[in-house]
């Protein structure tokens, strides 16, 4: 076959791809190559390009079919450099994109909300009990608090303390006023904060105003992100007076400290310990010159954003959910760093965010709190800005001729309905771009619903944009479905199986492994709490991954996933076959970051629920 290769690479990627392409083809222009090559050779070339791909890589391959016809085979790297036919754009505009993608107008708002929450999300770690637990403050056992505080946790969790500190800072100000206060922030701001804090000290002060009843819209959203960045609120199961939430429109009006942590209501704490929970002997990030400078710059940018003040964003669940996802993912990525240098910290600020252990097993103070909050804020902003382009940077399904061919004539009686369904999918493709798609495949057993679903997904997608999940109720069915799709779509020979391995991934969990890990869960949680950062836990903790080798060339701007190879593989697969429990945390993740991986997957691919009769009625919602 004769192929032409076009490179639209930039920066260092240009030199890297030229070295690869020069080894396979003749250069007939500055960024154009042509050669006669076998299918095996072309697969090897594509694999090498993927292994070196970055965000600046963009290479298209065209098969010369005749004098007047060529066919785009694939694109490696940034697909936005070409259209679906492989044509390079002459001019660019953002106007049409903004019309088509409802995600994009909210991106700036999501980024700003996640970033400002990042500065406040851990300020509550400044309290005496938390710093004593880390070892930043030596526990004075001669004091009453030192004698009576023997637990590894506090009466109030750090995110609740952070919420009240933020509430005390905002107080009765409007959104414009408290943001302007951050623009003008100085050391007197910290003094005013500590002076007003006694009005907001839970377990010490009665009848504290609920932040979600009176705070202005932006502050209300930031408060929600702060208090929920580790876990969603839950009323403690140990308490008898369970509230009836069926008819409550706004449950946040009865939101109390025990919703964030049951020990606030289920344990008796000595007064001296509770007081220590509200003491800040080393100061708070409000005292850090670095923190002040960085948050002042962000607040100034937020004040100049008209879109931020145009809507009641706290009522927009999509914006709320993605801002929380960006904040949690940034916090996790930052806390998972092996080495930090604290160069972005005020040298006079001695409050720490977390600890770690050296090679000898000795614990040491790891990252200062002001630097941690600054980095989480910056990263949360980057994550939010990168989410709209996530799908375009992930691998999509290669052209699959088996999904394009009609059913052979001799099988029309049993499987002819597949062609009708595929034809209908193609006819409504343009409508689906605006309105989405929900369909039900109803056919008897053995009539090829699994293959038909793949054909429908393929027909609904633009060329080189097909990505979908197949979710099933049983582990054995998931394995069978993955094998069937590989055989039906790509064939059984060795070359076809290699292509199948690059396009179809299987993710199933071993119940035995999961049960064993549940036994150790309490011990793991205790370890994370001792280190001062639950964000260091894996985002795919209890999964057994059976996944083929996928070349991972995700752009450099997605370095916030670099430490989670499992998630990278989970995201990259064009077709993911799994038991449905891997996707359910997208809507049911209560604590930790378990909802992040499935949410990113569902944001970047379509969904097929296969064999729904295996689910119970309780599963359907």
């Amino acid at each position: 076959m004769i192929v032409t290769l076009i490179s639209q690479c930039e920066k260092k990627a240009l030199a890297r791809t030229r070295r690869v392409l020069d080894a396979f083809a003749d250069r007939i222009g500055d960024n154009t190559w042509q050669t006669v090559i076998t299918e095996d050779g072309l697969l090897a070339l594509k694999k090498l390009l993927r292994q070196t791909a970055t965000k600046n890589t963009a290479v298209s391959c065209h098969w010369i079919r005749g004098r007047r016809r060529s066919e785009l085979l694939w694109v490696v790297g940034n697909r936005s450099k070409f259209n679906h036919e492989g044509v390079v754009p002459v001019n660019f505009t953002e106007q049409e994109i903004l019309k088509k993608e409802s995600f994009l107008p909210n991106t700036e708002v999501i980024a700003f909300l996640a970033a400002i929450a990042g500065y406040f999300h851990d300020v509550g770690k400044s309290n005496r009990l938390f710093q004593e637990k880390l070892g930043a403050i030596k526990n004075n056992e001669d004091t009453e608090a030192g004698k009576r505080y023997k637990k590894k946790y506090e009466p109030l969790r750090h995110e609740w303390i952070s919420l009240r500190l933020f509430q005390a800072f905002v107080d009765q100000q409007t959104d414009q006023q408290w943001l302007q206060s951050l623009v003008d922030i100085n050391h007197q701001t910290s003094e005013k904060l500590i002076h007003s804090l006694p009005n907001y000290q839970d377990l010490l002060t009665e009848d504290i105003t609920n932040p979600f009843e009176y705070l202005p819209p932006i502050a209300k959203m930031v408060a929600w992100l702060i208090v929920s960045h580790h876990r969603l609120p839950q009323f403690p199961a140990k308490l008898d007076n369970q509230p009836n939430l069926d008819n409550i429109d706004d449950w946040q009006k009865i939101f109390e400290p025990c919703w964030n942590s049951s020990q606030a209501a289920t344990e008796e704490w000595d007064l001296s310990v509770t007081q220590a929970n509200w003491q800040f002997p080393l100061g708070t990030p409000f005292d850090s010159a670095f923190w002040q400078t960085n948050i002042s710059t962000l607040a100034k940018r937020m004040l100049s954003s008209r879109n931020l003040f145009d809507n009641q964003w706290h009522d927009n669940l999509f914006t709320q959910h993605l801002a929380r996802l960006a904040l949690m993912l940034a916090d996790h990525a930052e806390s998972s760093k092996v080495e930090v240098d604290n160069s972005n910290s005020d040298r006079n600020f001695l409050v720490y965010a977390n600890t770690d252990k050296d090679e000898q097993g000795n614990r040491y103070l790891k990252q200062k709190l002001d630097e941690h909050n600054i980095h989480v804020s910056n990263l949360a902003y980057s994550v939010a800005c990168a989410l709209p382009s996530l799908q375009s940077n992930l691998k999509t399904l290669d052209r699959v001729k088996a999904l394009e061919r009609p059913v052979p004539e001799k099988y029309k009686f049993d499987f002819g309905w597949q062609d009708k369904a595929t034809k209908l999918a193609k006819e409504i493709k343009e409508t689906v771009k605006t309105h989405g798609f929900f369909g039900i495949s109803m056919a008897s057993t053995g009539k090829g619903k699994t293959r038909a679903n793949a054909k429908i997904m393929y027909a609904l997608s633009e060329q080189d944009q097909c990505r979908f999940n197949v979710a099933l109720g049983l582990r054995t069915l998931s394995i069978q479905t993955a094998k069937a799709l590989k055989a039906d779509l790509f064939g059984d020979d060795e070359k076809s199986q290699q292509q199948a391995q690059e396009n179809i991934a299987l993710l199933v969990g071993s119940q035995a492994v999961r049960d064993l890990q549940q036994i150790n869960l309490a011990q793991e949680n205790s370890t994370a709490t001792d280190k001062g950062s639950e964000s260091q836990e894996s985002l795919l903790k209890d999964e057994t991954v059976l996944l083929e080798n996928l070349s991972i060339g995700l752009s450099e701007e997605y370095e916030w996933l670099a430490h989670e190879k499992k998630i990278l593989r989970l995201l990259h697969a064009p077709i993911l076959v799994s038991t449905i429990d891997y996707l359910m945390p997208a809507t049911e993740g209560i604590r930790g970051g378990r909802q992040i991986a499935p949410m990113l997957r569902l944001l970047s691919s379509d969904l097929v629920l296969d064999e729904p009769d295996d689910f119970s009625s309780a599963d359907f919602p």
Side-chain angles (χ1 to χ4, degrees), residues 314-337:
H314 185 261
D315 298 327
N316 187 314
L317 294 182
F318 182 71
T319 300
Q320 185 183 98
H321 188 71
L322 288 184
R324 181 172 181 262
L325 184 148
L327 174 62
M328 293 182 71
L329 192 48
D331 190 23
H332 186 273
E334 181 63 24
S335 298
S336 299
K337 286 183 177 178

Side-chain angles (χ1 to χ4, degrees), residues 402-403 405-407 418-419 422 451-459:
L403 295 177
R405 284 194 296 262
V407 175
Q418 296 182 7
D419 291 341
T422 303
R451 182 169 185 168
N453 290 336
K455 281 189 168 186
I456 292 169
M457 291 291 107
Y458 190 78

Side-chain angles (χ1 to χ4, degrees), residues 455-524:
K455 281 189 168 186
I456 292 169
M457 291 291 107
Y458 190 78
L460 288 170
S461 304
E462 293 290 346
Q463 188 175 356
D464 292 328
Q465 291 184 18
C466 184
R467 291 172 49 83
F468 62 92
N469 311 281
V470 181
L472 299 102
L474 299 176
R475 184 173 184 268
T476 51
L477 275 178
S478 300
I479 297 173
Q480 290 173 10
T481 300
K483 289 181 178 178
L485 283 174
K486 287 179 180 179
D488 288 348
L489 271 53
F490 298 99
D492 295 323
D493 59 276
E494 185 176 346
K495 184 172 66 175
S496 298
Q497 282 300 299
Q498 181 182 351
Q499 191 178 6
Q501 290 174 5
E502 292 185 356
N503 285 281
I504 301 177
L506 172 65
L507 180 66
V508 293
S510 165
Q511 190 60 47
V513 172
R514 187 168 303 175
D515 290 342
L516 179 62
Q517 290 178 330
Q518 287 297 323
I519 294 173
N520 297 326
L521 185 60
Q523 181 178 353
E524 292 177 8

Side-chain angles (χ1 to χ4, degrees), residues 343-570:
S343 59
N344 289 323
S345 173
D346 187 333
R347 64 179 182 179
N348 297 316
F349 186 71
L350 301 176
V351 182
Y352 281 82
N354 44 46
T355 63
D356 210 339
K357 289 184 178 180
D358 58 24
E359 295 178 355
Q360 287 73 40
N362 301 314
R363 180 165 295 172
Y364 65 91
L365 293 168
K366 184 179 178 183
Q367 188 174 35
K368 286 190 178 181
L369 185 56
D370 57 343
E371 182 179 79
H372 175 77
N373 285 355
I374 291 170
H375 284 193
V376 168
S377 172
N378 294 338
L379 194 52
Y381 187 90
S382 298
V383 170
C385 290
L387 285 178
S389 60
L390 176 64
Q391 182 173 349
S392 64
N393 283 276
L394 295 171
K395 183 177 174 0
T396 56
L397 191 63
D398 294 332
R399 185 181 176 187
V400 182
K401 294 179 181 179
L403 295 177
E404 298 174 352
R405 284 194 296 262
V407 175
E409 196 63 37
K410 60 181 178 180
Y411 299 121
K412 285 284 187 183
F413 182 79
D414 286 328
F415 304 108
W417 71 275
Q418 296 182 7
D419 291 341
K420 296 178 182 178
T422 303
K423 180 181 178 182
L424 177 59
K426 290 179 179 177
E427 290 174 355
I428 64 173
K429 181 193 291 188
E430 293 302 316
T431 307
V432 167
K433 291 179 183 178
T434 306
H435 298 286
F437 174 79
F438 178 85
I440 300 175
S441 296
M442 295 191 295
S444 303
T445 302
K447 298 297 184 181
K449 291 189 292 295
T450 298
R451 182 169 185 168
N453 290 336
K455 281 189 168 186
I456 292 169
M457 291 291 107
Y458 190 78
L460 288 170
S461 304
E462 293 290 346
Q463 188 175 356
D464 292 328
Q465 291 184 18
C466 184
R467 291 172 49 83
F468 62 92
N469 311 281
V470 181
L472 299 102
L474 299 176
R475 184 173 184 268
T476 51
L477 275 178
S478 300
I479 297 173
Q480 290 173 10
T481 300
K483 289 181 178 178
L485 283 174
K486 287 179 180 179
D488 288 348
L489 271 53
F490 298 99
D492 295 323
D493 59 276
E494 185 176 346
K495 184 172 66 175
S496 298
Q497 282 300 299
Q498 181 182 351
Q499 191 178 6
Q501 290 174 5
E502 292 185 356
N503 285 281
I504 301 177
L506 172 65
L507 180 66
V508 293
S510 165
Q511 190 60 47
V513 172
R514 187 168 303 175
D515 290 342
L516 179 62
Q517 290 178 330
Q518 287 297 323
I519 294 173
N520 297 326
L521 185 60
Q523 181 178 353
E524 292 177 8
N525 289 344
S526 175
T527 302
T529 303
D530 291 347
K531 294 167 72 174
S533 182
E534 295 170 70
S535 300
Q536 294 181 36
E537 300 176 51
S538 173
L539 299 182
L540 280 174
K541 183 183 305 179
D542 62 348
E543 275 74 358
T544 299
V545 181
L546 306 177
L547 192 62
E548 308 297 350
N549 290 326
L550 286 168
S551 53
I552 297 176
L554 201 59
S555 301
E556 294 168 0
E557 61 189 293
Y558 297 96
E559 84 278 358
W560 30 270
L561 286 174
H563 62 288
E564 286 282 0
K565 298 299 183 186
K566 286 182 181 179
I567 292 185
L568 280 177
R569 295 186 182 279
L570 175 80

Side-chain angles (χ1 to χ4, degrees), residues 8 23 43 45 48 61 84 145 173 212 299 305 307 311 314 346 348 359 383 395 419 422 429 514 528 565 603 612:
Q8 287 293 104
L43 281 173
L45 169 59
L48 284 173
C61 177
H84 66 278
Q173 298 179 92
F212 300 107
S305 171
N307 198 26
N311 295 283
H314 185 261
D346 187 333
N348 297 316
E359 295 178 355
V383 170
K395 183 177 174 0
D419 291 341
T422 303
K429 181 193 291 188
R514 187 168 303 175
K565 298 299 183 186
L603 277 172

